[in-house]
Amino acid sequence: MEPIQIAIDGPASAGKSTIAKILATDLNFVYVDTGAMYRSVTLAALKQGVNPAAEADVIALLPHLEISFAPGNPVQKVFLNGEEVTDDIRSNAVTGNVSAVASYGAVRTAMVAQQRQIAAQGGVVMDGRDIGTTVLPDAEVKVFLIASVKERALRRFKENQAKGMTETLAEIEAAVEKRDYLDSHREISPLKKAADAVELDTTGLSIDGVVDAVKQIIAEKV
Ligand code: C5P
């Protein structure tokens, strides 16, 4: 396969990172979880006692942050200034504040620059909210993954239970809906299907079923 760019966007907990990681492994492409980058900035703010709602204070942290990735199973490892934060960036505190941090223009400019730099190295599967619209507008393949909010909340609920987290299904559903609202209503690069993206509804599909469907979309495009 040519070293193409594959953009996978969609709302919270639609299975983007699971699918993107499997595809990248199968294709021997680089995988970039852009949500992990916004989560890392949010974690840095929380750790340093910076209010995530204070835009100027969050932006002031940016020159001091280095976010990097390393292969890992079942999820890619994430490092913030050399310290592994793979699990910490999934905490409820980070999830509850990340949409605010990701709405700041200077944060997005810094993250997008790093994302494009990684993508320039060759074949890439990148997942996020604005990959097809903003980060990689010329990506050869753009997929917009959706699923009913009930199913997305249920998937996250099962994952959280396995990790010993105690939120109810109703709380998770409310949090998922709130994050989607904030992400799709922000001013800069909101969550939006690119005009040339293929929408795929994964409600009721298994992981293998979604991977097969995305591979079919890739085969039709390249
Ligand atoms: O993908 P994940 O749910 O980990 O993303 C966490 C948050 O990061 C999103 O809710 C969104 O606010 C932000 N994000 C973004 N642009 C991206 C990826 C994630 O704004 N490309």
Side-chain angles (χ1 to χ4, degrees), residues 6 19-32 124-125:
I6 301 173
I19 302 306
K21 184 167 184 275
I22 295 171
L23 276 177
T25 305
D26 288 359
L27 298 171
N28 206 13
F29 278 15
V30 173
Y31 163 53
V32 191
V124 68
V125 186

Side-chain angles (χ1 to χ4, degrees), residues 110-175:
M111 297 303 115
V112 170
Q114 188 177 350
Q115 291 155 14
R116 288 186 179 143
Q117 206 177 357
I118 300 171
Q121 293 165 15
V124 68
V125 186
M126 193 175 283
D127 84 71
R129 303 293 187 288
D130 61 337
I131 311 307
T133 55
T134 306
V135 182
L136 304 175
D138 298 326
E140 286 84 350
V141 177
K142 298 181 183 180
V143 180
F144 197 76
L145 282 189
I146 58 163
S148 73
V149 69
K150 288 238 171 309
E151 176 146 335
R152 290 186 284 126
L154 190 60
R155 288 177 192 166
R156 185 49 53 97
F157 179 67
K158 287 180 183 163
E159 273 173 32
N160 283 5
Q161 278 205 319
K163 290 187 203 161
M165 293 163 88
T166 55
E167 278 175 298
T168 65
L169 182 58
E171 283 167 342
I172 293 178
E173 192 175 322

